[in-house]
Amino acid sequence: MAQATAVKMDNNHQTSARLGVEHDFREQIAFSAEQTVDYHRPVLVMSRQRLRANVRRFMAAMPRVRPHFAVKANPDREILQIFKDEGAYFEIASIAELDAMIALGEEMETVFYSNPIKSPASIAHAANHGVLWYCVDTPEEVEKIAKIQPDAKLYLRITVSNEGSSWPLAGKFGAGFNAVEGIIAAAKQHDMQLSGVTFHVGSQCCNIDNWVSGIRAAKRVFAQLTSHGFMPELLNLGGGYPLQFNGDEPSIEQIGEAINRELETIPDDIQVMAEPGRFLAGSAGCLVSQIVGIATRDDARWVYLDAGVYGGLMELTMDFPLSLVSERTGDSGLWTLAGPTCDSIDVMGRHQLPANSAAGDFIYMPNLGAYCTTCASDFNGFPVPILRMVD
Ligand SMILES: Cc1ncc(COP(=O)(O)O)c(C=O)c1O
């Protein structure tokens, strides 16, 4: 069992400053430092206060936009309950996420099934439990839902620019301009209610224009729907709201300002919602990990952690701007960061850490409250991080 190491705020602040870590992260590291007592596997420490603050901040920035937390970002039961208590609703992508909604006692008319491609079994499961709203982006999906739940309400996912987002989603999902008429035709043919429009600007999107042009594109689709006799009632702004890693990213207030301005042209009887995942959960979580070994290979210094690509750090394979804070102080050096498994893809780029880092050091990684534990597997027998809630 590892010896507990109490990281003092001052000490930590110096480390943070030296590594170029933003002031804001000190809070996350402070509440995580206590979690090294009885440490035996990586710990994702989640702050209840921060989760609540994130929902409140989102709602204050966009009063007209109802947040539906994207459950995929972090489906932990207590986290969902906190969001529910704060007045947020939910967006789901699978049977398991629907079951989480049932366990939470959600009203199913408020649950949005936003995965554009759903198995017939999952649609039947959702229909049996009273889910009303389903995303579509192909005529085939319209037909599939029509056969299982003819009274469903559909919202059409259109493709919009994902430029400036760290995890673009365009390409895999979303109907292009030329595909919209075909989906409208399928809805008419199967007598389905095509009642809304949605888009996703890409995850960790730092380009505010994507939302602005998305809302404008949605307005054009509303006009198309109306001309075909449909009565649009929903605008779903999707997810993508970014975390602020280094201050270059737009704040939720800046994004809100642009969205609110654009929404002035959307009629009042259109319900507006969004599906934030990363923004609501990400900054509430800090991953505590431990160095298991160091090595020098061809002059490069390697540090091996007990958490890696398989164990909570999957997003590091795609340019996640990770901040690493060591409990150790001293001059920093450049290290190649690797996870504990035997797989060569379990390598996470080069990062600054103290030059005298050693096995046993605790490493804190702020901003990992979303897409960390939920994307982890115990490949090679290494345990996935446990999640601990703190006030
Ligand atoms: C349909 C849908 N909605 C919402 C989200 C949440 O996105 P983010 O975490 O970037 O806010 C995702 C993420 O993949 C998604 O696919």
Side-chain angles (χ1 to χ4, degrees):
M1 194 173 292
Q3 195 61 35
T5 311
V7 178
K8 292 202 179 66
M9 239 345 219
D10 293 355
N11 198 9
N12 205 24
H13 177 39
Q14 282 169 19
T15 313
S16 305
R18 185 172 41 75
L19 296 172
V21 175
E22 227 203 326
H23 166 88
D24 190 42
F25 298 159
R26 275 183 291 154
E27 171 204 321
Q28 296 185 34
I29 290 148
F31 67 60
S32 302
E34 284 142 33
Q35 303 304 321
T36 54
V37 180
D38 291 339
Y39 182 94
H40 57 281
R41 64 200 278 185
V43 187
L44 179 65
V45 188
M46 298 289 303
S47 155
R48 295 185 184 96
Q49 275 182 41
R50 191 64 185 244
L51 289 165
R52 285 193 204 101
N54 288 347
V55 186
R56 290 177 194 175
R57 198 173 154 203
F58 188 95
M59 288 172 161
M62 286 170 266
R64 192 178 162 187
V65 182
R66 197 169 87 168
H68 287 242
F69 176 59
V71 175
K72 58 180 80 67
N74 195 327
D76 176 77
R77 171 68 202 258
E78 187 180 345
I79 293 173
L80 299 180
Q81 187 66 52
I82 288 171
F83 288 151
K84 181 179 162 112
D85 294 346
E86 287 297 322
Y89 296 89
F90 300 94
E91 173 268 324
I92 59 164
S94 64
I95 289 180
E97 291 182 2
L98 173 62
D99 290 345
M101 297 294 96
I102 296 166
L104 202 62
E106 275 302 274
E107 300 284 339
M108 287 300 149
E109 310 86 73
T110 70
V111 174
F112 280 68
Y113 204 147
S114 286
N115 188 342
I117 308 289
K118 299 160 280 299
S119 71
S122 67
I123 297 167
H125 186 63
N128 285 339
H129 286 92
V131 173
L132 187 63
W133 287 94
Y134 298 85
C135 179
V136 293
D137 67 355
T138 62
E140 290 86 349
E141 195 73 5
V142 173
E143 187 182 345
K144 197 198 290 172
I145 298 170
K147 284 188 186 141
I148 302 168
Q149 193 179 351
D151 63 347
K153 289 192 178 192
L154 307 180
Y155 47 109
L156 199 173
R157 178 155 163 184
I158 54 172
T159 185
V160 296
S161 164
N162 276 205
E163 216 178 300
S165 62
S166 300
W167 289 276
L169 299 165
K172 183 173 182 187
F173 295 121
F177 179 72
N178 293 329
V180 168
E181 279 293 335
I183 296 165
I184 291 176
K188 274 175 118 169
Q189 184 192 341
H190 296 287
D191 203 17
M192 293 296 286
Q193 301 176 72
L194 196 45
S195 305
V197 178
T198 187
F199 56 81
H200 199 302
V201 295
S203 199
Q204 184 67 16
C205 175
C206 294
N207 183 358
I208 300 181
D209 286 346
N210 287 355
W211 280 281
V212 173
S213 58
I215 295 170
R216 291 182 186 167
K219 271 194 285 186
R220 290 192 289 275
V221 178
F222 282 153
Q224 270 172 285
L225 288 173
T226 310
S227 74
H228 283 279
F230 291 100
M231 290 190 291
E233 54 179 290
L234 174 83
L235 173 59
N236 178 348
L237 306 178
Y241 311 88
L243 298 184
Q244 292 191 278
F245 290 105
N246 55 29
D248 291 342
E249 301 86 356
S251 68
I252 198 71
E253 289 76 20
Q254 287 168 318
I255 295 170
E257 217 177 289
I259 288 179
N260 295 340
R261 202 176 317 117
E262 208 55 38
L263 289 180
E264 283 170 17
T265 60
I266 300 289
D268 289 344
D269 57 352
I270 300 277
Q271 174 196 331
V272 187
M273 61 171 276
E275 300 175 345
R278 188 183 304 280
F279 178 82
L280 294 190
S283 63
C286 182
L287 185 67
V288 182
S289 169
Q290 195 172 33
I291 297 179
V292 294
I294 56 169
T296 305
R297 304 188 193 282
D298 293 335
D299 292 340
R301 299 278 282 155
W302 287 66
V303 56
Y304 294 77
L305 297 177
D306 58 357
V309 167
Y310 290 97
L313 297 170
M314 191 269 283
E315 289 202 309
L316 263 68
T317 56
M318 294 187 64
D319 265 358
F320 185 88
L322 181 72
S323 296
L324 291 165
V325 181
S326 172
E327 62 173 338
R328 192 182 281 273
T329 52
D331 292 340
S332 66
L334 199 56
W335 294 83
T336 301
L337 194 66
T341 70
C342 299
D343 195 331
S344 60
I345 68 160
D346 195 8
V347 178
M348 300 166 287
R350 306 190 86 191
H351 299 267
Q352 295 283 343
L353 276 174
N356 55 350
S357 291
D361 289 0
F362 284 107
I363 303 292
Y364 303 93
M365 290 172 262
N367 277 330
L368 280 168
Y371 307 114
C372 173
T373 40
T374 189
C375 298
S377 91
D378 62 357
F379 173 60
N380 256 199
F382 293 102
V384 300
I386 45 167
L387 191 148
R388 259 187 225 150
M389 302 293 293
V390 295
D391 280 337

